[in-house]
């Protein structure tokens, strides 16, 4: 069924250049569809997709739902708040029951690393990972790359800096693997408490100083700062974080006035990113959101074997 | 009565395997049995220092019956049980109940008592009465260590009875939810890591408290040569400390967790390849005398989860002997591994050594030429949490001599 080398889309680590290229190029085609007056194609007519969101999400879920509807798939939604999981049913039993309703493809989001892989290994469903723990969020990585390519062209040799809470970020991990496959150079920078202890097996440069991470970068991608990190003594204060790692107008104009700015959202304005920067012409944040629908259409189309 | 005739088989001796012929009379045999060839090994029963049979209270998962079946299947004569029952084995009545349940068994099933009431890490358990009831030692099972002040009291109180404390040295302060080693692999998977420093810190704390109080301790499942070195250092200062290592930490490294197989989730976690190699060097030098594979039954529904949510632990009794044989690759190393899983822990427990069990003759006949398919029927009880499930393993136990009986595993 899948037009990709793999039946599932679990992550960008280990994905071939050919598959990555196919996903992005198909995403570009669907991006054009989204600009048409009639934004719907019949590619997945007859295919049933379930959105299994075990973790709360608004924008990612809406983005997937829109992508599914644009492809004419039949969709059903699942959330834990009203599910049998609340009544003590195990994850695998819940999903096998859903599978028995003759679902073709499941979009899965879960707060635990490995849930999409586990479901891929233990059910016959085609699995599309919509984010698992701090592991991977492949469609976010893809939409980021699609956005970068639409502004920079070929990413080979381009310099991408990711700033912030890399430790807890599945977005950062998917970007690191995908961008490396496309030939980009990725730098990460953030407080030592919010950086993984060891990253020597990951294709990234770790930079301690924000100035070095920003200057010379083609794209500066800020990550969302979770306020609860402060409760776990991983962060002193938002004020101090902004002082050390905030991408401000002043810093940007001083160190790299032409860098493109990205953020997976939602933005904590004036903490990780100044409002003036987030709303500036060099910000690609809203492009990312639009491309999110296109790239999710691409992933669903290719996994669903669309026509 | 019949005879067990073993011709030109490899017979375990403390110094190595000797090819010889042995004839043993066994009451329960109604006809003679004969085995010939150097692919047969005649071995003393194995010993497991860290087992959980879940009874009383969790018999729907596992029981003494399941545990004893697994022991026969795997060639184990002696196990030391965790206090993780329900109710917790923290008072004499529970210990008496357990020991009464297994009293008639030819297998040697020993019990540990909880170090604290309910294993909550707050109040001292009634150690004196549990000793009178026949408890072998005290332990924290797989629970984290109590607070330091409570731990000191436990050490002081146990030293009064010269009872050894079997301690799994971990505390959750640094480990968090991470049940994987903290390094590149935990970074790639986005899992919170369990740093090696956490093991060293816990061990230093236990050793310092043992030095302060005179308590006798046994540190379980050490994964690092640094930990072993610390034990040696404190021994020189007079601390009575023994330790064991899990063969999993000799045979496997944490690179395997990239596959997100829930059966690679164990406590303590698999460590990096360089640590594994160093630990193997220490083992080859004869510095590690006790192995313990940790037999921890977990119901399938708690393993049918993603890696991050699945319960840790494996069952090992049925497969340990084959694993030791296969991983060794030669008789010299097989003998060393086997001895560290039999004579070493037997000495520690003060149990019968060699071809004896509970004062009676005992032995295990292992055929290294056979292979077995590891399917659901391979395991006792309602569990199958083994990395070997679905695979074939080399070696099979043909029979177990136990107190004048000859028992053939299923």
């Amino acid at each position: 069924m899948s037009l990709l080398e793999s039946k599932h889309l679990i992550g960008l680590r280990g994905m071939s250049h050919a598959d990555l290229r196919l996903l992005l190029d198909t995403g570009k085609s669907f991006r054009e569809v989204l600009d048409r007056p009639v934004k719907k194609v019949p590619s997945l007519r007859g295919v049933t997709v379930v959105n299994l969101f075990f973790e709360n999400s608004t924008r990612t879920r809406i983005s997937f739902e829109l992508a599914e509807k644009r492809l004419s798939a039949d969709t059903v939604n699942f959330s834990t708040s009203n599910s049998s999981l609340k009544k003590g049913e195990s994850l695998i039993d819940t999903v096998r029951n859903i599978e028995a309703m003759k679902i073709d493809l499941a979009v899965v989001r879960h707060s635990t690393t490995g849930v999409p892989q586990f479901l891929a290994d233990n059910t016959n469903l085609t699995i599309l990972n919509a984010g698992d723990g701090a592991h991977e969020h492949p469609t976010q990585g893809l939409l980021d790359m699609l956005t970068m390519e639409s502004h920079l062209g070929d990413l080979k040799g381009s310099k991408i800096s990711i700033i912030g809470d890399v430790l807890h970020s599945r977005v950062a991990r998917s970007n690191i693997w995908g961008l490396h496959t496309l030939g980009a150079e990725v730098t990460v920078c953030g407080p030592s408490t919010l950086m993984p202890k060891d990253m020597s097996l990951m294709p990234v440069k770790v930079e301690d100083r924000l100035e070095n991470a920003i200057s010379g970068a083609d794209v500066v991608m800020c990550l969302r700062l979770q306020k609860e990190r402060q409760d776990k003594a991983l962060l002193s204060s938002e004020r101090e974080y902004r002082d050390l790692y905030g991408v401000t107008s002043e810093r940007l104009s001083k160190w790299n006035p032409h860098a493109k700015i990205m953020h997976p959202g939602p933005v904590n304005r004036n903490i990780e990113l100044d409002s003036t920067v987030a709303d500036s012409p060099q910000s690609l944040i809203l492009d990312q959101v639009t491309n999110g629908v296109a790239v999710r259409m691409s992933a669903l189309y290719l996994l669903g074997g669309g026509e | 009565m019949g005879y067990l005739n073993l011709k030109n088989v490899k017979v375990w001796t403390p110094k190595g395997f000797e090819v010889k012929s042995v004839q043993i009379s066994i009451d329960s045999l109604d006809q003679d049995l004969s085995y010939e060839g150097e692919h047969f090994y005649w071995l003393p029963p194995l010993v497991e220092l860290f087992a959980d049979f879940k009874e009383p209270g969790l018999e729907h998962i596992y029981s003494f019956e399941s545990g004893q079946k697994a022991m026969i299947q795997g060639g184990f004569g002696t196990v030391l049980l965790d206090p993780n029952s329900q109710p917790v084995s923290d008072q004499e009545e529970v210990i008496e109940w357990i020991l009464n349940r297994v009293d008639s068994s030819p297998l040697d099933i020993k019990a540990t008592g909880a170090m604290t009431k309910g294993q909550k890490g707050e109040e001292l358990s009634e150690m004196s009465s549990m000793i009178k009831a026949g408890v072998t030692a005290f332990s924290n099972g797989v629970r984290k260590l109590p607070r330091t002040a409570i731990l000191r009291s436990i050490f002081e109180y146990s030293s009064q009875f010269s009872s050894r404390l079997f301690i799994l040295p971990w505390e959750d302060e640094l480990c968090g939810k991470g049940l994987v080693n903290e390094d590149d692999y935990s970074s790639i998977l986005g899992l919170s890591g369990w740093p090696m420093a956490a093991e060293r810190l816990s061990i230093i704390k236990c050793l310092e408290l043992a030095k302060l109080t005179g308590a006798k301790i046994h540190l379980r499942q050490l994964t690092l040569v640094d930990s072993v070195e610390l034990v040696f250092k404190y021994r020189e200062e007079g601390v009575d400390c023994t330790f064991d290592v899990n063969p999993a930490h000799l045979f496997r490294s944490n690179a395997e967790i990239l596959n997100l197989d829930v059966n690679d989730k164990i406590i303590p976690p698999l460590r990096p390849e360089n640590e594994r190699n160093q630990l193997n060097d220490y083992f080859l030098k004869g510095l590690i005398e006790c192995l313990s594979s940790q037999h921890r039954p977990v119901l399938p529904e708690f393993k049918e989860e993603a890696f991050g949510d699945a319960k840790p632990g494996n069952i090992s009794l049925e497969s340990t002997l084959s694993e030791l044989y296969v991983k060794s690759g030669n008789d010299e190393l097989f003998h060393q591994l086997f001895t560290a899983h039999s004579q070493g822990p037997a000495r520690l427990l003060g149990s019968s050594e060699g071809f004896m069990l509970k004062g009676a003759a005992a032995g295990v006949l292992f055929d290294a030429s056979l292979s077995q398919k590891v399917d659901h029927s391979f395991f006792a009880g309602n569990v199958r949490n083994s990395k070997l499930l679905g695979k074939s393993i080399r070696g099979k136990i043909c029979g177990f001599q136990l107190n004048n009986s000859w028992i053939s595993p299923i």
Side-chain angles (χ1 to χ4, degrees):
Chain A
M1 182 169 158
S2 172
L3 302 176
L4 298 169
E5 288 169 18
S6 167
K7 181 189 173 189
H8 313 281
L9 177 52
I10 305 295
L12 301 188
R13 179 171 66 87
M15 178 179 280
S16 69
H17 187 275
D19 268 1
L20 196 52
R21 203 58 270 153
L22 183 58
L23 279 158
L24 291 170
D25 290 343
T26 310
K28 273 179 200 160
S29 303
F30 282 125
R31 178 70 184 80
E32 288 162 19
V33 170
L34 294 178
D35 288 331
R36 293 180 194 164
V38 178
K39 301 174 179 62
K40 197 160 181 168
V41 291
S43 307
L44 289 188
R45 186 176 291 157
V47 173
T48 310
V49 182
V50 60
N51 296 308
L52 297 171
F53 277 64
F54 299 100
E55 184 185 66
N56 288 335
S57 159
T58 304
R59 60 180 65 202
T60 304
R61 185 171 50 79
I62 289 173
S63 182
F64 268 107
E65 279 188 54
L66 263 178
E68 290 151 10
K69 290 182 196 313
R70 301 281 188 239
L71 291 168
S72 308
D74 298 318
T75 65
V76 282
N77 290 318
F78 168 96
S79 68
T80 46
S81 56
N82 56 0
S83 77
S84 45
L85 281 171
K86 288 272 181 198
K87 299 169 193 165
E89 188 174 55
S90 70
L91 170 72
I92 192 66
D93 280 344
T94 300
V95 177
R96 280 180 183 152
N97 272 283
I98 290 169
E99 184 186 13
M101 296 175 199
K102 305 300 176 193
I103 302 282
D104 301 298
L105 201 154
V107 177
V108 181
R109 188 181 182 95
H110 201 286
S111 58
T112 301
T113 288
V115 166
Q117 182 66 59
F118 170 73
L119 296 179
D121 292 342
N122 291 283
T123 70
N124 291 316
L125 289 165
T126 295
I127 302 293
L128 201 171
N129 182 7
D132 62 327
H135 178 216
E136 285 236 32
H137 192 351
T139 55
Q140 179 72 42
L142 288 165
L143 76 87
D144 289 338
M145 284 180 270
L146 186 63
T147 306
M148 289 177 207
E149 280 192 343
S150 66
H151 289 268
L152 302 175
D154 187 354
L155 294 180
K156 191 169 185 181
S158 60
K159 293 179 168 46
I160 316 297
S161 286
I162 302 175
I163 315 292
D165 183 1
V166 177
L167 180 66
H168 300 96
S169 177
R170 52 195 175 206
V171 175
R173 284 174 180 79
S174 287
N175 267 293
I176 287 167
W177 297 115
L179 286 165
H180 173 69
T181 303
L182 294 181
E185 295 170 22
V186 184
T187 299
V188 291
C189 179
S192 54
T193 50
L194 295 176
M195 293 291 283
K197 187 85 181 68
D198 298 289
M199 297 187 81
S200 59
L201 290 182
M202 299 175 84
V204 285
K205 181 180 166 196
V206 181
E207 182 57 68
D208 297 331
R209 296 187 60 206
L210 184 65
E211 180 181 352
N212 293 344
I214 290 180
S215 57
D218 297 300
V219 175
V220 175
M221 181 187 294
C222 299
L223 300 173
R224 178 174 164 78
L225 189 70
Q226 306 274 348
K227 291 182 181 175
E228 55 266 32
R229 306 292 176 228
Q230 210 168 313
D231 304 332
K232 293 180 180 170
L234 294 173
L235 188 66
S236 55
S237 68
E238 289 174 348
R239 187 177 66 175
E240 190 158 284
Y241 179 85
R242 177 186 153 80
D243 282 351
L244 293 169
Y245 298 99
V247 176
T248 63
S249 307
E250 189 187 13
R251 283 173 172 160
L252 210 54
S253 58
K254 189 172 156 191
W255 295 335
N256 192 349
H258 304 296
K260 301 294 182 193
I261 301 298
M262 295 175 69
H263 191 296
V267 179
N268 290 309
R269 287 174 176 263
N270 302 315
I271 298 173
E272 63 254 17
L273 196 58
D274 269 6
S275 266
T276 48
V277 177
D279 299 333
S280 71
Q282 67 196 108
S283 166
L284 309 181
I285 294 171
L286 291 178
D287 272 9
Q288 288 175 265
V289 177
T290 310
N291 285 331
V293 178
V295 95
R296 285 169 182 130
M297 288 172 76
S298 165
L300 289 160
Y301 168 81
L302 293 170
L303 288 175
E307 294 171 2
Chain B
M1 188 191 79
Y3 284 98
L4 175 66
N5 296 306
L6 305 176
K7 191 174 177 189
N8 294 328
V9 303
K10 290 178 179 167
V11 178
W12 180 90
T13 75
K15 291 185 176 176
F17 294 118
E18 286 179 13
V19 178
K20 54 185 178 184
S21 299
V22 180
Q23 187 179 59
I24 301 162
S25 68
I26 296 177
D27 288 350
S28 73
L29 285 180
D30 49 14
Q31 59 180 21
D32 291 355
L33 290 175
S34 297
Y35 297 92
E36 181 176 354
E38 293 182 24
H39 56 283
F40 288 107
Y41 289 80
W42 181 237
L43 306 165
L46 288 147
V47 178
E48 178 51 65
L49 291 173
F50 205 177
D52 185 0
F53 286 174
K54 304 285 183 196
E55 194 176 343
L58 298 165
E59 292 87 348
H60 62 292
I61 300 175
Y62 216 69
S63 65
F64 291 126
E65 188 188 348
S66 332
Q68 289 178 83
K69 269 188 196 166
M71 289 174 75
I72 297 289
Q73 175 97 353
F76 279 82
T78 306
V79 294
L80 183 61
L81 295 180
D82 262 9
N84 297 345
S85 49
Q86 288 183 10
V88 170
S89 311
D90 61 354
Q91 49 188 303
E92 62 178 314
E93 290 80 1
V94 184
I95 299 296
E96 276 172 1
W97 189 89
I98 289 171
L99 296 180
N100 280 336
R101 283 277 284 123
V102 297
D103 188 48
S104 60
S105 171
L107 298 165
D108 193 2
I109 298 170
K110 297 176 183 295
T112 56
M115 301 191 308
T116 56
K117 286 178 188 158
Q119 286 198 302
K120 290 180 180 167
E122 291 163 2
E123 296 176 67
L124 289 175
S125 59
E126 295 173 336
M127 291 187 185
S128 172
S129 8
M130 282 195 277
I131 289 168
K132 281 179 201 155
V135 82
T136 297
F138 298 98
S139 90
N140 62 331
V142 282
R143 300 289 179 93
K144 64 182 181 181
L145 288 176
R147 288 186 296 116
T148 310
I150 304 287
L151 197 60
R152 175 185 172 155
S153 293
I154 293 165
F155 277 43
E156 279 174 335
Y157 195 51
S158 70
S159 68
Q160 186 177 329
F161 311 109
S162 290
S163 191
R164 194 171 292 277
L165 296 168
F166 278 64
I167 296 171
L168 184 65
W170 76 289
E171 40 198 327
D172 62 355
E173 285 277 330
L174 279 183
C175 306
K177 287 171 70 181
L179 291 176
V180 296
N181 186 63
E182 181 177 283
D183 66 357
D184 292 298
Y185 297 110
S186 62
S187 300
I188 287 171
L189 293 171
L191 291 166
S192 59
W194 177 329
M196 291 183 273
E199 180 173 312
R200 291 189 284 261
L201 279 171
S202 298
I203 283 171
I204 289 170
K205 182 193 280 188
C206 291
L207 289 165
E208 279 293 333
L209 288 176
K211 188 174 162 184
L212 179 70
T213 60
K216 294 198 294 187
I217 60 172
H218 176 84
L219 296 173
R220 291 174 141 170
Q221 310 280 290
L222 301 189
T223 66
L224 310 170
V225 290
D226 282 359
S227 306
V228 177
E229 282 291 343
L230 280 166
V231 172
F232 292 159
K233 176 178 175 292
Y234 278 80
R235 273 184 187 168
E236 284 176 13
E237 297 173 23
V239 172
D240 185 345
C241 178
T242 53
F243 68 94
D244 64 56
V245 165
N246 189 330
H249 294 113
L250 293 176
F251 300 152
R252 290 151 58 195
S253 70
N254 67 331
E256 296 187 25
I257 66 161
L258 281 181
N259 297 325
L260 290 173
D261 179 346
V262 292
N263 289 312
D264 287 324
K265 187 173 181 178
I266 57 174
I267 295 177
L270 296 172
R271 299 298 191 187
E273 186 67 10
N274 62 327
E275 289 294 334
R276 184 181 82 87
N277 289 336
Q278 288 183 58
L279 204 60
N280 272 289
D281 288 345
Y282 270 48
F283 183 78
L284 291 171
K285 287 178 191 165
L287 299 172
I288 297 168
E289 294 172 350
C290 274
L291 294 178
S292 161
S293 297
Q294 201 181 147
H295 182 74
R296 190 152 305 285
V298 178
L299 272 178
E301 52 258 45
F302 297 117
K303 279 291 187 184
E304 287 180 345
E305 293 280 355
F307 191 93
D309 288 335
K311 277 199 171 182
N314 287 169
I315 41 175
S316 59
L317 289 176
E318 292 96 333
S319 56
T320 291
L321 184 54
S322 286
E323 284 238 83
L324 298 182
Y325 176 76
V326 169
K327 298 289 184 182
S328 63
N330 63 67
D331 269 352
E332 190 181 352
L333 183 53
F334 178 46
H335 180 270
Q336 194 182 348
L337 288 164
F338 179 83
T339 304
H341 222 310
S342 52
Q343 190 183 49
R347 276 191 185 158
L348 180 68
L349 295 175
S351 306
S352 304
E353 285 182 40
F355 293 96
M356 298 288 285
L357 193 62
K358 292 172 92 171
V364 174
L365 186 64
F366 178 68
D367 184 348
S369 70
L370 296 176
S371 288
Q372 297 184 82
K373 177 82 178 164
V374 181
D375 55 19
H376 292 190
S377 67
F378 183 81
F379 301 108
N382 296 321
V383 300
R384 48 185 183 271
N385 52 305
S386 165
K387 196 171 169 59
L388 296 171
L389 184 67
K391 297 178 180 161
S392 281
I393 56 166
R394 185 90 180 273
K396 187 177 189 325
I397 287 169
C398 307
F400 201 146
Q401 182 200 3
L402 271 175
N403 197 13
N404 264 324
S405 295
W406 182 251
I407 302 170
S408 297
I410 300 162

